[in-house]
Amino acid sequence: MSVDMSTVDEAKLHELLGKVVTDLGAVAAAPLALLGERLGLFRALADGEAVTPEQLAERTRTAERNVREWLAAMAAGGYLTYDGDDRFRMTPEQGAVFADENSPAFALGGYQAFLSCGSAEEQDRLARAFLDGHGVGWHEHHADLFAGTARFFRPGYAAHLVDEWLPALTGVVEKLRTGGRAADVGCGLGHSTVMIGKAFPDALVTGFDSHEPSVDAARELAEEAGVGGRVSFEVAGAKDFTDGPYDLIAFFDCLHDMGDPVGALAHSREQLAEGGSIMLVEPWAGDRLEENLTPLGRTFYSASTLICTPASQSQEVGRALGAQAGEERTRQVASEAGLTRFRRAAQTPFNIVYEARV
């Protein structure tokens, strides 16, 4: 097609091009940020001291010319601060985002996850999914998606799960403190499962995931955390995990990825102990599209297009809720599964936590 430039509003065109340039810079910054982590450049700046490119290169045993260009790119994007006189530094806020993996603001896992979807092979899979509607299975993606997703969500879980989300549920904390049982369905690499196990040493906690390599990694994580004796992991799907009843059944940012979320919750209802709770941690979303046309909504819609919706389409039923399902659609799924009580229990700027009960 050819656009008649006489119909183009110049001001609006330049405004759009400004957004495009910003986005191109962000796309280019993503691999550079991961390089900064891989080479220890961010860690070497975490003390806040202003350094020259030569000094940073010496600290990290890297080439000064490459480091100089990297520093300029990071400073241009606001990821680092330029003080003038050829000196760069990292503010505490920048350190929280790029250098401290235990910070609730740490973001590099997101870069890792999204970049894993950019290869020619991944793009071919996604193009096929758009053409035939059959989706792309979680197991078909590059391993960086699994690791990046875990690293992206872990800081938020660490900041909120034990101190805010679990206490917001009905009687769950008391049950876990006195030897209750919990299931983490779709546990991935097991960070959320291990957090629950560490917080409640008398509870028995089991993580379930259909992706065997993730389960293997989760088992290693539990051993490293010293909870391997009471936190276990099994290869099982959301509709066939067993060994209930459980006082808590949790779904962390995964229900919307499932082909049959109604079937998953109906099975969970059967595995739930009397008086138990199902916790659904989902991405923050409003019920109307207009509410989600924000920078956060853009991120979640993009993740949903690249990962979540194709994952659901690849499974039976293929309901494809998407990462921006919102409260009403999630409530509807719970109702169809026979869960009669549903409420918003907690929320953060990034997540909404729902409690569903019989």
Side-chain angles (χ1 to χ4, degrees):
M1 83 177 264
S2 178
V3 175
D4 180 359
M5 293 301 293
S6 67
T7 66
V8 172
D9 183 308
E10 287 286 330
K12 292 181 179 178
L13 176 63
H14 286 294
E15 180 183 2
L16 177 58
L17 286 174
K19 294 178 180 178
V20 170
V21 169
T22 299
D23 287 351
L24 286 174
V27 170
L32 291 179
L34 290 180
L35 270 176
E37 180 184 39
R38 178 176 180 175
L39 298 173
L41 300 174
F42 285 129
R43 289 191 299 275
L45 291 162
D47 61 5
E49 179 185 350
V51 298
T52 65
E54 292 88 352
Q55 290 170 327
L56 182 59
E58 183 177 352
R59 286 185 182 184
T60 56
R61 298 183 180 180
T62 50
E64 181 274 337
R65 183 65 189 90
N66 303 80
V67 167
R68 177 178 293 276
E69 213 72 0
W70 180 85
L71 284 166
M74 294 294 100
Y79 290 8
L80 295 176
T81 299
Y82 181 57
D83 281 343
D85 195 27
D86 206 29
R87 293 184 177 275
F88 300 79
R89 65 182 171 87
M90 176 176 278
T91 66
E93 296 77 20
Q94 291 162 344
V97 174
F98 297 112
D100 181 3
E101 195 158 0
N102 293 316
S103 159
F106 184 74
L108 288 179
Y111 290 85
Q112 184 180 6
F114 276 121
L115 279 181
S116 74
C117 298
S119 70
E121 184 178 6
E122 289 283 318
Q123 289 289 298
D124 285 344
R125 291 193 186 101
L126 288 164
R128 182 200 72 210
F130 268 72
L131 292 170
D132 63 23
H134 294 160
V136 179
W138 180 257
H139 65 281
E140 296 182 74
H141 288 285
H142 191 279
D144 273 351
L145 177 61
F146 318 142
T149 299
R151 295 176 74 210
F152 177 72
F153 285 122
R154 188 189 67 81
Y157 297 165
H160 302 289
L161 171 57
V162 173
D163 293 336
E164 299 171 29
W165 296 348
L166 292 177
L169 303 179
T170 306
V172 165
V173 167
E174 292 78 4
K175 292 170 185 174
L176 295 181
R177 281 177 177 164
T178 56
R181 302 181 71 233
D184 185 357
V185 181
C187 65
L189 302 191
H191 289 293
S192 51
T193 326
V194 168
M195 288 176 195
I196 296 172
K198 291 181 72 173
F200 301 97
D202 292 325
L204 290 177
V205 187
T206 307
F208 298 99
D209 202 286
S210 59
H211 187 239
E212 187 170 357
S214 292
V215 170
D216 290 339
R219 288 169 176 160
E220 292 181 11
L221 177 68
E223 291 299 327
E224 292 170 3
V227 294
R230 51 191 174 78
V231 175
S232 60
F233 295 91
E234 301 296 335
V235 178
K239 295 198 296 184
D240 56 25
F241 71 92
T242 58
D243 296 332
Y246 296 99
D247 300 294
L248 169 68
I249 299 177
F251 292 76
F252 288 92
D253 286 292
C254 65
L255 184 73
H256 63 269
D257 297 312
M258 296 177 180
D260 184 11
V262 172
L265 291 184
H267 178 71
S268 294
R269 176 171 54 81
E270 295 172 354
Q271 293 288 316
L272 198 62
E274 183 177 355
S277 296
I278 297 174
M279 178 171 68
L280 307 175
V281 179
E282 284 288 296
W284 200 102
D287 291 322
R288 297 183 300 113
L289 173 64
E290 294 85 349
E291 297 177 76
N292 302 323
L293 299 181
T294 64
L296 180 63
R298 180 193 189 192
T299 299
F300 284 147
Y301 275 127
S302 297
S304 189
T305 307
L306 291 167
I307 305 160
C308 310
T309 297
S312 178
Q313 290 173 313
S314 73
Q315 304 167 49
E316 61 178 355
V317 181
R319 180 122 176 194
L321 283 174
Q324 293 288 269
E327 183 167 347
E328 285 309 310
R329 291 170 66 196
T330 307
R331 181 190 300 273
Q332 179 62 35
V333 166
S335 177
E336 291 177 31
L339 295 162
T340 58
R341 288 181 282 181
F342 183 93
R343 68 183 180 96
R344 183 184 297 209
Q347 66 183 50
T348 72
F350 295 99
N351 286 106
I352 301 177
V353 180
Y354 306 106
E355 181 181 37
R357 306 178 73 206
V358 177

